[in-house]
Amino acid sequence: RSGRVYVIDTQKNPKAPSLHKVVQPEDIVKNTGLAYPHTSHCLASGDIMISCLGDKDGNAKGNGFLLLDSEFNVKGRWEKPGHSPMFGYDFWYQPRHKTMISSSWGAPAAFTKGFDLQHVTDGLYGRHLHVYSWPDGELKQTLDLGDTGLIPLETRFLHDPSKDTGYVGCALTSNMVRFFKTKDGSWSHEVAISVKPLKVQNWILPEMPGLITDFLISLDDRFLYFANWLHGDVRQYNIEDPKNPVLVGQVWVGGLIQKGSPVVAMTEDGKTWQSDVPEIQGHRLRGGPQMIQLSLDGKRLYVTNSLFSSWDRQFYPELVEKGSHMLQIDVNTEEGGLKTNPNFFVDFGAEPDGPSLAHEMRYPGGDCTSDIWT
């Protein structure tokens, strides 16, 4: 919300990172008109590219991609003039196919206030993928995902640089959509995985979407993982056939329908059920699984549970009061399978300055397989 970009020096002393520079929002707005920075990537040119979600007033129109130079000075916008998407969020590029694809969350003026279904009806949330030429920044195609692709968030190509396929997780409709290049060189899409909404009692709506938030693909492109923030489960799919993912692992690590919650799910025959969520080191798990990060060897999947403070407060108020946590899920990398590690629990509710909300996690570059930042 502040619009600042913080540059942290982690090289001098990884255990005591220091603030290197702050890119102020006034500088970004003055030189680009952009605000609400989100996803950052380091480019081969030495520039840093950051997607922005709107203008300083929270309007979706006017968003685009910020470029910082290697000294973290505002350089300008990446996309060509007049080639800005209506909504912005995540992006990923596949240089051998000279393509970048970005997704679309919603207008900051809407989502910063919490989630309101009326805002979807009012057209304040996205349902499109934007296909750009890479690295030129020309918007070549817009894919309308329709009613099966509401609020497409995280976007991932397969890691194999020769592949012309990837996925995007559509939060509200809880579908994993595959995008791919066609024979004529254009791009198309199809639903690859669908999480059915649950019929529920004692909730704000009669049906609850899974709300797919984060997902990732293992470095060998064999497995895809994603989190259902509201339902509370993390899933593992074999994607060796990208068109036909197969569910091979699932664990419940939170959510609104866990035992002890007032919310219950119903089966087709009218019976009620709740998920079995384990306690970890004596702690009842708060919130739902949200951001995930996989160790480089693919054997450990780390999970945090904060989405966005306004949405946390709306759906999981206990999370804001007590703070979030990080879990470790052990992965069977041979046949597939997930198991919650009973010995790993990082509690961000005990921070010196009060409860904190942990969000994204990243491993450093290089061959490090033990350190992780969140």
Side-chain angles (χ1 to χ4, degrees):
R1 295 178 187 227
S2 73
R4 299 184 186 92
V5 177
Y6 295 93
V7 184
I8 310 298
D9 186 339
T10 63
Q11 186 175 21
K12 293 177 183 177
N13 187 350
K15 293 185 178 181
S18 58
L19 184 62
H20 175 73
K21 184 174 182 177
V22 179
V23 183
Q24 297 293 346
E26 296 81 8
D27 193 19
I28 297 173
V29 171
K30 178 182 177 181
N31 289 282
T32 66
L34 297 170
Y36 295 91
H38 186 265
T39 297
S40 61
H41 282 291
C42 299
L43 307 187
S45 63
D47 291 339
I48 297 93
M49 181 169 159
I50 305 176
S51 62
C52 295
L53 307 188
D55 63 16
K56 63 181 179 61
D57 298 317
N59 301 307
K61 187 176 182 179
N63 64 3
F65 303 90
L66 166 69
L67 282 179
L68 305 178
D69 64 23
S70 58
E71 299 299 320
F72 313 106
N73 301 307
V74 176
K75 187 174 182 178
R77 295 174 74 135
W78 171 76
E79 78 278 11
K80 290 185 176 181
H83 288 252
S84 300
M86 181 60 188
F87 295 97
Y89 187 69
D90 197 26
F91 68 98
W92 204 269
Y93 48 93
Q94 197 72 310
R96 291 190 189 177
H97 293 278
K98 299 180 180 180
T99 296
M100 185 274 274
I101 294 182
S102 67
S103 60
S104 45
W105 184 7
F111 66 69
T112 55
K113 299 174 182 177
F115 181 70
D116 185 339
L117 197 58
Q118 183 61 42
H119 288 160
V120 179
T121 304
D122 294 341
L124 296 178
Y125 283 93
R127 64 178 199 182
H128 297 87
L129 294 180
H130 306 285
V131 181
Y132 285 86
S133 60
W134 183 266
D136 306 326
E138 180 181 353
L139 182 59
K140 305 287 288 187
Q141 189 179 353
T142 295
L143 303 178
D144 187 345
L145 305 183
D147 292 338
T148 61
L150 298 178
I151 311 185
L153 297 179
E154 307 297 329
T155 307
R156 304 283 184 267
F157 272 103
L158 294 178
H159 294 287
D160 184 339
S162 68
K163 299 297 184 182
D164 59 0
T165 192
Y167 300 87
V168 60
C170 301
L172 187 58
T173 42
S174 299
N175 289 324
M176 191 63 62
V177 172
R178 186 178 77 93
F179 52 82
F180 54 92
K181 186 185 284 187
T182 63
K183 291 182 179 180
D184 66 5
S186 64
W187 292 78
S188 188
H189 64 91
E190 64 183 7
V191 174
I193 303 169
S194 184
V195 177
K196 293 183 179 180
L198 295 175
K199 293 182 179 180
V200 292
Q201 295 176 341
N202 307 322
W203 197 55
I204 55 176
L205 296 171
E207 291 191 340
M208 179 191 295
L211 207 78
I212 296 175
T213 49
D214 195 19
F215 87 95
L216 56 81
I217 298 171
S218 61
L219 290 178
D220 59 7
D221 288 336
R222 289 185 62 222
F223 296 111
L224 180 149
Y225 303 83
F226 67 77
N228 285 309
W229 192 57
L230 295 181
H231 287 183
D233 59 317
V234 175
R235 299 189 183 191
Q236 177 191 27
Y237 285 81
N238 184 304
I239 56 168
E240 290 175 287
D241 178 359
K243 296 180 182 179
N244 300 292
V246 177
L247 180 65
V248 293
Q250 183 180 26
V251 288
W252 295 87
V253 287
L256 289 170
I257 56 169
Q258 62 178 298
K259 288 183 178 178
S261 166
V263 183
V264 295
M266 294 185 294
T267 61
E268 291 296 329
D269 57 5
K271 295 181 179 179
T272 61
W273 65 275
Q274 292 181 305
S275 59
D276 284 310
V277 176
E279 287 191 351
I280 306 297
Q281 295 187 342
H283 297 275
R284 182 177 184 273
L285 300 187
R286 304 183 288 270
Q290 208 283 96
M291 301 305 296
I292 55 178
Q293 181 65 34
L294 189 67
S295 62
L296 302 186
D297 60 9
K299 295 181 179 180
R300 299 178 306 283
L301 185 69
Y302 295 96
V303 183
T304 55
N305 52 351
S306 170
L307 193 157
F308 183 66
S309 58
S310 300
W311 293 37
D312 293 346
R313 188 173 293 107
Q314 181 177 358
F315 293 101
Y316 294 111
E318 185 183 36
L319 202 60
V320 180
E321 298 167 4
K322 297 183 178 181
S324 63
H325 50 62
M326 181 164 67
L327 310 173
Q328 178 182 314
I329 297 173
D330 297 327
V331 180
N332 182 330
T333 58
E334 298 298 324
E335 301 175 353
L338 302 176
K339 185 178 180 181
T340 306
N341 190 308
N343 301 314
F344 187 100
F345 185 86
V346 179
D347 190 354
F348 295 98
E351 293 295 304
D353 295 325
S356 299
L357 297 173
H359 193 64
E360 300 206 33
M361 295 164 286
R362 292 291 181 265
Y363 270 96
D367 59 1
C368 173
T369 59
S370 58
D371 292 347
I372 188 167
W373 298 88
T374 183

